[in-house]
Amino acid sequence: MNGRSPTPAPEAARGAEREPTRSRALRAARQALRILAVELGTPTEPGIPLFAGVQNRWLRRVPYLVAFTFAVSLLPTTINVLGNDYGMSGGLAGALATAQTVPLMLAVTRPLQAWWVIFAADVVCALGLTVVDGVAGRAWPWTPPAIVGYLALMLALSLRERRRTLIAVWLTTGFAGILSETMTPERSQSTWVLTFVLAGVMLLMGATLRERGDAQRKLIEQETISEAERARRTLLEERTRIARELHDVVAHHMSVITVQADSAPYRISGIPKEAEEEFGSIAATARESLAEMRRLLGVLRSEETERQGGPEKTPQPGVAMLPKLVEGTVRAGVPVELVLPEEPVVLEPAVDLSAYRIVQEALANVVRHAPGAQTRVSVTTSTDRTRLTVLIVNSAPPVPSAPSAPLETTGTGHGLVGMRERVRLVDGSLDTGPLPDGGFRVAARLPLTPAPGAAATVTPASGTTSPENPIPGTPSAPSASPLSAKDSGSS
């Protein structure tokens, strides 16, 4: 026997278990203190004043005015309370009062740094009051002026710092209050619980207001972004539609080139072998171009065309179809007067289509926003026959009423955006704006580049007019005679 009492196995096991548990608790405590120190030492946006993002400059000055008011009113009050009520010496009372109130002005731009100064001054003041005789029957460790200043600081702090920092400040305030219980002077009235609760309320209220403001700002930003995206999508849709419509125009020209190149050896006698091969190469290239354009049209097809399962077969409209468009608008309840040139004018297909679409969109806007308004549509040419002017003017609606839907439903519905894109396509100009009498004006100026020996031709396969398609009134279009102010459609 060696005289030693062996250690029981269960006790050794329990000791081994307690040691890791104690280590984990200490590790967790150190980590919590480290996080607390980081949060209390890392301010958010230091140097940026509160309300810095407000547009009104007078509202931006409100935090400075409030902080100055609190500092000026609390400084003499704190000195008087510490000196007269608590019996603290004048010099010490003045120094502590200054440290407790003046940093409130710093809270406008650096509230977390101001909290460090004021919190330290409040703790030092509480320690200083333990050695004076006037504490009996009075508030301790936070004096009434200190509580008011501290709550104002909490509001400024909650409007700037993140949530974890606010929680760290609140817990530090409560921890200081708990420690004060170990040295509470006799017959003093403890105020740390009241300060702890009120500080939490102020932090919660300020944080709620700040987060609500942040949410509203983000919502406004998202709405702005969404509006910009909608505008961009509208523009892209209109450009796609214009490209899809111009496909017929370009395809017709390519078809003419193909036919002429293929038929040249049969129409012209005595063509050299090299010339026949050149014409064949031109025809082959034109056919390849047509095939590529068909693929492009498949990419640009609209949703309506996708539902129909094939390409659009409706001929592209032009100025010749304006009387029919005006007739449909008149049926929708809008009295329209149409004026066309007395002499035939040769139009390029792109200009012809753009002029029609501009009138179409303008009349659709009249039906939607000014039903029943007197409207005048005028298509004229300049004296030198180089520009076409399309003018749509409507007066104010006679009786305000709910907007109605136009009978013409083939438009894009993009209004001024579509007009601008079509004018830009043909290198023209657009002028729009309200009139003094409450009406609206749309004026488009499009270039005219008539081809020599113009004659109206129509391709039966596509129904698309050629570049030589004139405004109604030419011999090739006998069914549509020139319209003027005296015989245009009106009601």
Side-chain angles (χ1 to χ4, degrees):
M1 298 293 296
N2 54 11
R4 296 182 180 179
S5 59
T7 303
E11 293 183 2
R14 285 195 298 269
E17 291 178 358
R18 282 197 301 269
E19 186 63 27
T21 303
R22 188 180 301 110
S23 300
R24 286 195 297 269
L26 292 175
R27 191 182 308 111
R30 286 195 298 267
Q31 185 176 2
L33 291 176
R34 188 181 303 110
I35 294 175
L36 185 66
V38 170
E39 293 298 329
L40 294 179
T42 309
T44 302
E45 298 179 352
I48 300 178
L50 298 174
F51 294 4
V54 178
Q55 298 295 332
N56 193 321
R57 64 173 184 174
W58 297 107
L59 290 179
R60 291 199 300 267
R61 296 177 181 178
V62 169
Y64 292 97
L65 179 61
V66 173
F68 179 78
T69 302
F70 270 100
V72 170
S73 59
L74 288 178
L75 178 59
T77 303
T78 305
I79 295 176
N80 181 62
V81 169
L82 293 179
N84 296 336
D85 296 347
Y86 287 86
M88 185 176 290
S89 61
L92 183 58
L96 291 175
T98 302
Q100 287 177 321
T101 57
V102 172
L104 287 175
M105 301 184 64
L106 179 64
V108 177
T109 56
R110 291 177 171 82
L112 189 59
Q113 289 88 332
W115 175 81
W116 276 105
V117 177
I118 293 177
F119 181 73
D122 290 341
V123 172
V124 172
C125 181
L127 295 176
L129 291 177
T130 57
V131 297
V132 299
D133 298 332
V135 182
R138 302 188 184 278
W140 189 90
W142 308 95
T143 62
I147 295 176
V148 174
Y150 198 75
L151 295 180
L153 177 62
M154 292 297 101
L155 181 60
L157 198 66
S158 63
L159 294 176
R160 168 59 55 80
E161 299 300 330
R162 52 189 175 272
R163 186 178 301 178
R164 293 177 61 176
T165 302
L166 300 182
I167 294 175
V169 169
W170 187 56
L171 293 179
T172 304
T173 303
F175 182 71
I178 294 174
L179 290 181
S180 68
E181 287 293 326
T182 61
M183 57 185 71
T184 303
E186 295 181 0
R187 295 176 299 168
S188 63
Q189 299 178 0
S190 179
T191 57
W192 77 267
V193 176
L194 176 64
T195 304
F196 181 67
V197 173
L198 293 180
V201 172
M202 294 299 292
L203 290 175
L204 180 60
M205 182 177 65
T208 303
L209 293 176
R210 176 176 56 82
E211 291 177 358
R212 180 182 179 185
D214 293 341
Q216 290 179 344
R217 283 192 296 271
K218 290 181 180 178
L219 181 60
I220 294 174
E221 291 176 0
Q222 291 298 324
E223 290 178 350
T224 303
I225 294 173
S226 299
E227 185 66 27
E229 289 296 329
R230 280 194 297 269
R232 178 174 177 82
R233 185 173 62 252
T234 299
L235 181 63
L236 293 178
E237 289 176 356
E238 185 63 22
R239 289 179 177 177
T240 301
R241 179 182 176 87
I242 294 173
R244 194 169 59 247
E245 291 177 347
L246 289 179
H247 167 270
D248 285 345
V249 177
V250 180
H252 170 71
H253 292 302
M254 298 303 298
S255 300
V256 172
I257 294 174
T258 304
V259 172
Q260 289 178 343
D262 280 335
S263 62
Y266 304 98
R267 293 183 291 103
I268 305 174
S269 60
I271 296 180
K273 185 65 175 178
E274 293 80 4
E276 292 184 7
E277 294 177 355
E278 189 67 24
F279 279 121
S281 176
I282 293 174
T285 303
R287 280 191 290 269
E288 292 177 0
S289 300
L290 279 173
E292 293 297 333
M293 289 195 63
R294 291 190 189 98
R295 296 189 185 96
L296 176 62
L297 181 63
V299 175
L300 299 178
R301 282 192 303 179
S302 62
E303 295 180 359
E304 181 180 357
T305 306
E306 292 287 350
R307 290 193 297 268
Q308 295 174 356
E312 297 175 354
K313 298 179 176 61
T314 305
Q316 298 300 339
V319 176
M321 298 182 66
L322 284 181
K324 182 180 179 182
L325 175 64
V326 169
E327 181 183 353
T329 308
V330 171
R331 290 199 304 269
V334 177
V336 182
E337 179 184 6
L338 175 64
V339 177
L340 295 177
E342 295 181 356
E343 298 180 0
V345 181
V346 177
L347 298 178
E348 281 190 345
V351 175
D352 197 21
L353 176 60
S354 297
Y356 178 88
R357 291 301 188 193
I358 290 171
V359 175
Q360 182 186 35
E361 293 293 348
L363 292 181
N365 287 338
V366 173
V367 175
R368 292 189 188 100
H369 306 294
Q374 291 286 342
T375 306
R376 177 183 173 86
V377 178
S378 174
V379 180
T380 59
T381 59
S382 60
T383 55
D384 56 358
R385 313 280 290 185
T386 60
R387 301 193 76 80
L388 181 74
T389 301
V390 180
L391 180 64
I392 305 96
V393 179
N394 67 273
S395 62
V399 178
S401 60
S404 58
L407 296 180
E408 179 70 38
T409 59
T410 58
T412 63
H414 292 161
L416 296 179
V417 176
M419 297 181 194
R420 294 191 187 98
E421 286 303 308
R422 294 184 182 277
V423 168
R424 179 183 177 186
L425 170 69
V426 297
D427 195 22
S429 62
L430 180 68
D431 184 16
T432 62
L435 298 175
D437 62 351
F440 200 83
R441 172 181 53 84
V442 175
R445 295 173 179 83
L446 311 177
L448 292 177
T449 54
T457 59
V458 178
T459 304
S462 64
T464 304
T465 57
S466 69
E468 295 82 10
N469 182 33
I471 289 181
T474 62
S476 60
S479 61
S481 59
L483 295 178
S484 62
K486 60 182 182 180
D487 60 1
S488 60
S490 63
S491 70

